[in-house]
Each structure stands twice: as structure tokens, then as C-alpha cells.
Amino acid sequence: MTKSMQKQSGAWRKLAAIGLIFSLLLPLAAWSAQMNMRDADMRELVEAVSRITGKTMILDPRVKTIKVTVLSQTDMNEEEIYSLFLSILEVHGLAAVESDGVIKILQEQNAKTEPVPVVKGNSQRYSTDSLITKVIRVQNVNAQELFPILRQLVSQQGGHLAGVRGSNIILIHDRAGNVRKIEQLIEDIDRETNEEIEVIALNHASATEIVRIMENLGKRDAQQQGGIVGAEPKFVADERTNSILLSADNRSRLRLRALISQLDTPLSDTGNTRVFYLKYAKAPELSDVLGGVGESIEAEEAKGASPATRGPGNKSFSIEAHEDTNALVITAPPDLMRSFESVIRQLDIRRNQVHVEALIVEISDVKAKELGVQWLFSHGEDDVPVGVFNFNNTGPGIVDLGGAALANRGTDGTSTTVIAPDGTVTTTSTPNVGDNGQALAQVLSGVVGSAIGLGNISKTGFSWVAFIKALGTNTDSNILSQPSLTVLDNEEAEFNVGQEIPIITGSALGDNNSNPFTTVDRKDVGILMKLTPQINEGDAVRLDIEQEVSSIAGTTATDIITNKRKVKTSVLVNDGGMVVLGGLIDDDIQLSGQKVPLLGDIPVLGHLFKSERTQKTKRNLMIFIHPTIIRDDSRMAQISSRKYNYMRGQQIEMQNKGISLMPSETSRVMPRWDESMALPPNFDEFMETEESQEEQD
């Protein structure tokens, strides 16, 4: 081979090598110049960016199916391509989190728990779409006040905003571009103000009254400006030193200080008269309190260097109560007037109330068993008893029954013969007359249960009668009373529902045992509840309670027997809690037996010669108290509406059942709770309504 051919062969080899290198670099050059994709898989995009940038990437399996479209008409370098890649991820709700040289592609809402970079200083070195966490310290304003504004600017999917109250720090997790925007906004808001606090001492006017005037003036200015104001001035009254603490900027502070100086002017005389209309307190009661306060102040000033016109011996104030308008008319010097006004303002407040419900539950169970056998024997024609087994613990005795039976039969008839002087004979017969069973009916009226009479009556031989009485009773009762009342704090209330029954206290006769008269006293029987609530600083209520439950137990030959259960105690209950005041558990067993000695002890057959009665009484009484504190009108309306709707529901249920024997009539029902209590129509309106109804029919 010649030298020319060797040179030509070497040139071709160089061209082939350059062509091979160009063919290998051609795809990379194409990616680094432009990026155009249509409906490409997210996996292909991640693979291409990883090949261009040389970064190791891990793709979440849940995002592989996302389709990506990228249209680019300009050349981009490696850094620009990666920034474009981050923007594509943000559009599709994804995020790239780099950790230890590995980039994880996952959903944006899951990136909060990943090791995102925490930035304390400048965040410009991070790409706009990179996820970062920024710590911002606020210097001049309260960080909590910025949250309502900043929370609207944070990304709703993967962004997060939080704060540390103690250190006034704001923590933001979001895209770097959005974090920089929020950071700039905080920097513009977090500016120092020129507000200062100034103490203005008053010589004549009341600090509390001046503050009230200034606050009303500030509210009016805010309304005129549409509610858009800057840093509003703040006023605080110090009653002890009669001073005002003013916080405002320099311009506002000068204006307000001049206004306060104009209001703090002395009166034309040493005394003034004011009328205080009370809202909640009673004028006569508050007048006594203020009188004592004024005398105490003058007594203290009399010990020091006070004017001669001020002292216990020379009263410088006057307090009068006007009950018709519930107002106080006070004449006093300015300093005393300020003290009186402060006391009135603190005492004339809405007092809390307590709604107390008492649950009185009594369950009783009475069981009784009776079994008795009585005998009556006689022999001969005269029917005179010769033997009797008489018991009275289970009902009427057989002797009473036999006497009633004889009264029913009556006596034998008799005849009377009279011979006249002329020899005429007249015979008068008296028939057998009984009481027609009146005595027997009276005796048997007291028999309860089963009563059987057996016997054998013989005119000449032996006669016998047996009376068997058997009874079994079971009485259950469940009594539930729920008295309730509402009372002011520290006020006594009484609830009494029951009857007044007459109780005989004595009787006497007049002269010659004539004109008898009886003295009668009346006693309350029913449910009586007295209580005085006292609300503590928390949600507890101290209750002084006197609870009494009484009822009629029965009557005797001389008077009435009553049952009485009374509890008097003091308890501490939380608002809406329940406490049991006391309980009575009574278990009483009474056994009564009458028998014939020896005969009544014979097994089985002994029941023919004895009478037994067993009664078991079991009672369980409990009293529960449920207080509810009423601090505002809404709580009062809630409790009242519940009671009101319950009674209305009962009326509606009765209305649906209808009135017996009166199908055309309907019962009245209370209006709805939110309905107005309207008056009934007048005569003309009623007639117009009737005429229109007839025309429609």
C-alpha cells in the first residue's frame, strides 16, 4: 500500500469515529435543545430527564399512568430542563423530593412527611417549583394575627402553615416560589409602629366615664370609615388612680390627649346630682349599700387631712331611691360620685339563675296471704251453740256471722187471745219478723277474697257450721314526681303542690251539753320544696334544700293518718349534674296467727283449727336533684321551650284522641313556641270569617 493510500485510509477512519461519536451524542443534543412530547407516559418523561441531568430518580408506582404533554420552541440547557420538569410535576399534583442524591417522584400531599430542605436564610438558590420548608421569625406583630391572611395563599394540596405561639415563629411548607411571595408579604407587614403608652391623670372627671365616651367616639368614626381603620387607639381606665392609659400613634395621641383635657374640667359648684336608672338591682336595696359606702369613705377621710365640710358629722351626699322607675337620685361631690358610680356599675349586673328539677321516685310492693277456718257447733232443738272456734285476724268471726244469720231469721211467731165481757173471743197473732239480711250483709261487706260456708243443720241431732276464708293480694305502685322551679342566685324559692286536709284539734260542748262544736286545723299534704342556690366561680352550685313529701295513709275512727318524708340538707352539685339527697328502703314482714292449742299444731290437719295472715311490704324511696345554671337568655329559652313543647305535645295527643261522646268538638292546643300570642278576633271579624266559609261551602 502506498503512502497516499495509507493517508486516505486514516482519514476515513477519523471520519468514521467522528460520525460514531456524533451518532451517540445526537439524542442528548436533541434533548438539551428542545423538549416536545404529546401524551407521553410519566415514566418516559422521568427516564428522559434522568438521562439528561444524570440524576437518579425513583417513580411512585401510583403515578406511572399519568399522560404528559410538553411543547417547547426554544433551546434549554440541563438546568432549565430540570426546572421545566419540576413545573410539569406541579401541574400534575406531583413533587420531587431529593434525599442523599436520590430524587423521589411522588404525590404532592404525601411529600409533607418526606425530608424536604428546611431553609432559614435566603431561598433564592432553590428552584421556583421545589418543595421547601421555611422558618420565618416575626418581629413586630403577632404571628397568630397573620394566619387568616397567609392561610389563603398557601397551596391547598401540599402546602402547610403553622406557628409557634411562644416564639412568634411562622412555619411554611410549600413551593419555593410561593414561599418567597409569602415571605415578602410578611416583610411588608412586619413593620415597627410608633405607638406609645401614655398615662393621663384626671383631676375632675371620672376615668371610666371618659373611656366610655372615647370608645363610643371611636366606634362612630369606624362606622363612618366603613369599618376600615388602621391601628385603633386603645383606652384603659385605672379607677384606683383615676387615670387613663392611652395607646396610639403620635398623631392620634396628641389629638386624643387634647380632647381628654377638654373633658377633664371642674364643675361650676362642689356638688352635682345624677340619676342612675338600674337595670337589674332594686333601688331601695342598693340605696342602703351606697349609704354605707359613702359613710365609710367620709369616715376614712375624716381621719386624714380632709376639708371641714367632709366628715361623719357633716354629711356631704344624698341618696334617694325612686321605686316607680327603679332609679337612684344621688347628690355628691365629684370624687364621691365616681365611687358611687363604680359601685353601681359592679352591682347592677344581670344575676345568674338556677333551674332545679327534683325527681321523687317511690316503688312499693305489698304482698299478703290469708287462710282461716272457723267452726260453730250446736245440739238440740233450741239451736244454742255448744262450741265455737272463732278467729278475727282474717276477717269477720263466725260468731258475728251466726248472730247476723239469727237476726235474718227473726223470732218465732206468738198469738194473744182476749175474751170480751160479752163472751166474744179475739185472737191476735204476731208473725215471725227478721231484719231481711241487713246484719248479715253488713258483716259480709268486710269480707275480701274467697269465703266459703259449710254446715249441717239438724233439728234434733248435732249441727255444725264451718267458715273458710282465703285471700292472696299483690299490690305494686310506682310513683314519680318531678317538681321543678327557676330561681335567682342567692334567692330563696318555694314550690308547694298538694292539698289542705282538715285535722281535728279539739271539741267541746256548750251549756247543758248542747251546741257541740269542733275545732279544725288544716294541714298541707303533697310535695313541698324550698331551696336557696349559690353559684360558685366555676360551674358548681351550692344548694340549701328542704324537701318534704307527704300523703294520706288512711283514716281512723277519730282522725286522719298521714305519711311524711322530709329531707333538709346542703349539697354541692356541678352544672347539669345529678345528686341523690336521700333514700328510704323499707322491708316489713308481719305475721299474724290464731289457733286452737294442740289441735292447731297437728301437721296438715292443724290448718282446720287455726287462722293465719302474712303480709310483706317493701318500699324504696329516692330523691334526686338536677340543677342547671342559666347565664343568658338563650339557655333560658332552651329550657322553657323544652317544657313548653312537652306540654303542647301532650295536648296534641289528647286532641288526636278526640273528645268522648262529642266527635264534633276539638280541644284547644297551645300555639307554637315561636308563634305570637294573638288576641281572639272581634265580632265583626268573626262574622266575616263565617260568611266567607259559608260561601266556600
Side-chain angles (χ1 to χ4, degrees):
M1 183 179 294
T2 62
K3 292 182 178 180
S4 59
M5 295 179 62
Q6 290 179 351
K7 290 180 180 180
Q8 187 177 4
S9 177
W12 280 109
R13 290 194 185 110
K14 290 181 180 179
L15 289 175
I18 293 173
L20 178 61
I21 295 173
F22 181 77
S23 63
L24 294 175
L25 295 178
L26 183 61
L28 296 178
W31 280 111
S32 62
Q34 294 181 2
M35 180 177 289
N36 292 302
M37 289 185 175
R38 292 184 181 274
D39 295 330
D41 292 337
M42 179 62 69
R43 181 175 180 177
E44 296 177 1
L45 174 63
V46 173
E47 184 178 357
V49 174
S50 175
R51 185 169 60 250
I52 294 173
T53 59
K55 298 180 181 292
T56 303
M57 298 184 181
I58 300 176
L59 183 62
D60 190 340
R62 291 173 292 183
V63 300
K64 291 181 179 180
T65 58
I66 297 177
K67 299 296 183 179
V68 179
T69 299
V70 182
L71 302 177
S72 175
Q73 303 299 328
T74 59
D75 296 336
M76 293 179 291
N77 55 26
E78 178 181 334
E79 183 177 354
E80 291 174 344
I81 290 176
Y82 186 72
S83 298
L84 177 62
F85 174 66
L86 295 179
S87 300
I88 296 172
L89 295 180
E90 181 185 7
V91 171
H92 292 83
L94 304 177
V97 179
E98 185 173 357
S99 177
D100 297 333
V102 178
I103 299 176
K104 292 184 286 186
I105 311 300
L106 66 165
Q107 295 178 351
E108 187 174 3
Q109 59 267 25
N110 297 331
K112 295 180 181 180
T113 58
E114 297 296 329
V116 178
V118 179
V119 182
K120 296 183 180 180
N122 188 11
S123 59
Q124 296 294 334
R125 59 190 181 91
Y126 291 94
S127 175
T128 301
D129 296 319
S130 299
L131 280 177
I132 63 172
T133 301
K134 179 72 174 181
V135 179
I136 304 175
R137 183 180 297 274
V138 183
Q139 301 294 337
N140 301 298
V141 299
N142 187 2
Q144 302 296 326
E145 298 178 356
L146 300 178
F147 283 171
I149 302 174
L150 303 180
R151 190 171 286 111
Q152 305 298 326
L153 304 177
V154 178
S155 175
Q156 301 298 323
Q157 293 183 354
H160 182 69
L161 177 67
V164 182
R165 186 184 300 271
S167 57
N168 210 35
I169 288 177
I170 297 178
L171 185 67
I172 304 177
H173 172 84
D174 206 344
R175 303 283 179 176
N178 198 27
V179 171
R180 285 194 288 269
K181 179 182 68 174
I182 296 175
E183 186 178 6
Q184 182 62 41
L185 179 62
I186 294 175
E187 183 179 352
D188 294 339
I189 297 176
D190 190 21
R191 302 286 186 178
E192 293 185 2
T193 62
N194 58 353
E195 291 187 3
E196 295 182 1
I197 298 177
E198 182 178 357
V199 179
I200 304 175
L202 303 181
N203 298 321
H204 308 285
S206 171
T208 304
E209 185 66 18
I210 296 297
V211 168
R212 183 185 65 82
I213 296 174
M214 304 301 289
E215 288 179 348
N216 292 336
L217 182 62
K219 292 179 181 178
R220 189 189 65 180
D221 294 342
Q223 292 176 356
Q224 292 177 355
Q225 297 178 14
I228 304 176
V229 296
E232 298 182 359
K234 298 180 181 179
F235 311 91
V236 177
D238 183 12
E239 298 181 1
R240 186 181 64 86
T241 60
N242 196 35
S243 302
I244 297 178
L245 279 72
L246 174 62
S247 174
D249 54 30
N250 294 332
R251 180 180 177 183
S252 299
R253 192 167 65 254
L254 292 175
R255 178 177 60 86
L256 295 174
R257 186 167 54 186
L259 180 59
I260 293 173
S261 178
Q262 295 177 7
L263 294 176
D264 185 28
T265 56
L267 298 176
S268 58
D269 51 15
T270 58
N272 60 338
T273 301
R274 290 188 59 184
V275 178
F276 295 91
Y277 293 97
L278 304 180
K279 299 179 180 179
Y280 307 103
K282 295 181 180 179
E285 297 178 358
L286 196 55
S287 175
D288 297 337
V289 175
L290 294 178
V293 171
E295 293 176 358
S296 176
I297 293 175
E298 290 188 340
E300 290 294 329
E301 292 181 352
K303 298 178 182 179
S306 59
T309 58
R310 297 282 296 274
N314 190 5
K315 192 174 182 179
S316 61
F317 64 90
S318 173
I319 302 174
E320 298 294 336
H322 189 253
E323 296 187 16
D324 294 341
T325 58
N326 195 34
L328 291 174
V329 182
I330 302 178
T331 302
D335 54 347
L336 268 181
M337 186 67 74
R338 288 194 298 268
S339 300
F340 290 151
E341 183 181 2
S342 176
V343 174
I344 292 173
R345 186 175 60 256
Q346 297 180 54
L347 294 182
D348 187 26
I349 60 176
R350 180 189 179 97
R351 296 168 60 184
N352 294 331
Q353 301 180 84
V354 179
H355 180 74
V356 181
E357 294 177 295
L359 300 175
I360 305 171
V361 184
E362 181 177 358
I363 301 175
S364 63
D365 183 11
V366 180
K367 297 180 180 180
K369 295 292 180 65
E370 298 179 4
L371 179 61
V373 181
Q374 304 179 60
W375 298 89
L376 180 64
F377 307 99
S378 66
H379 186 274
E381 297 180 357
D382 51 359
D383 295 333
V384 177
V386 296
V388 60
F389 295 159
N390 185 62
F391 309 118
N392 59 3
N393 63 332
T394 58
I398 197 170
V399 174
D400 296 334
L401 291 171
L406 291 176
N408 180 34
R409 191 181 66 179
T411 59
D412 295 337
T414 59
S415 61
T416 304
T417 302
V418 180
I419 300 176
D422 59 357
T424 304
V425 180
T426 303
T427 302
T428 303
S429 301
T430 303
N432 182 7
V433 179
D435 63 352
N436 294 325
Q438 182 178 358
L440 184 60
Q442 184 176 0
V443 174
L444 293 177
S445 64
V447 176
V448 179
S450 175
I452 302 175
L454 303 174
N456 182 21
I457 308 299
S458 176
K459 292 293 186 180
T460 58
F462 181 77
S463 300
W464 60 273
V465 176
F467 181 72
I468 304 174
K469 169 71 181 338
L471 173 65
T473 61
N474 189 356
T475 304
D476 297 333
S477 65
N478 184 4
I479 302 174
L480 174 62
S481 301
Q482 189 175 356
S484 61
L485 55 88
T486 303
V487 57
L488 284 172
D489 185 22
N490 285 322
E491 293 287 345
E492 182 181 1
E494 180 177 342
F495 181 91
N496 190 350
V497 177
Q499 297 176 325
E500 287 189 350
I501 61 173
I503 302 295
I504 299 176
T505 58
S507 60
L509 297 175
D511 297 337
N512 299 324
N513 295 329
S514 61
N515 297 327
F517 66 90
T518 303
T519 59
V520 178
D521 188 15
R522 294 192 175 272
K523 178 179 178 62
D524 292 334
V525 175
I527 298 175
L528 173 64
M529 182 170 63
K530 293 182 180 180
L531 61 89
T532 302
Q534 181 180 2
I535 303 175
N536 296 339
E537 286 296 331
D539 292 332
V541 183
R542 184 181 185 273
L543 296 173
D544 296 331
I545 302 175
E546 182 177 348
Q547 179 78 59
E548 179 179 321
V549 180
S550 57
S551 60
I552 300 176
T555 58
T556 63
T558 58
D559 217 331
I560 299 175
I561 302 175
T562 60
N563 294 327
K564 182 178 180 181
R565 303 173 182 89
K566 184 176 181 180
V567 175
K568 186 176 182 181
T569 182
S570 297
V571 295
L572 189 67
V573 194
N574 287 333
D575 180 20
M578 181 82 73
V579 64
V580 57
L581 294 185
L584 171 65
I585 300 178
D586 186 10
D587 198 348
D588 182 19
I589 299 178
Q590 295 182 0
L591 301 176
S592 175
Q594 296 178 353
K595 64 180 179 179
V596 178
L598 299 180
L599 295 178
D601 297 331
I602 301 175
V604 182
L605 294 179
H607 290 287
L608 299 176
F609 304 99
K610 62 182 178 181
S611 176
E612 293 181 334
R613 182 176 184 271
T614 302
Q615 180 175 349
K616 181 180 179 181
T617 303
K618 186 175 182 179
R619 288 188 297 269
N620 195 345
L621 172 66
M622 291 288 178
I623 301 176
F624 301 90
I625 293 294
H626 174 66
T628 302
I629 300 177
I630 303 175
R631 302 186 186 275
D632 49 27
D633 293 336
S634 61
R635 192 69 179 273
M636 174 67 79
Q638 179 183 1
I639 296 175
S640 301
S641 63
R642 186 175 71 247
K643 300 285 186 180
Y644 188 93
N645 292 331
Y646 172 77
M647 296 302 298
R648 187 172 183 274
Q650 297 292 321
Q651 289 185 335
I652 293 176
E653 184 179 357
M654 294 180 62
Q655 187 184 55
N656 295 333
K657 293 181 180 179
I659 301 177
S660 179
L661 303 180
M662 295 182 181
S664 61
E665 298 292 333
T666 58
S667 59
R668 298 291 300 274
V669 177
M670 295 188 302
R672 293 182 179 274
W673 171 255
D674 54 352
E675 291 181 357
S676 60
M677 305 298 182
L679 294 175
N682 55 30
F683 179 76
D684 296 335
E685 294 175 350
F686 177 77
M687 294 303 298
E688 292 177 0
T689 304
E690 290 293 326
E691 291 176 359
S692 61
Q693 186 67 31
E694 291 178 358
E695 292 176 359
Q696 293 178 0
D697 296 341

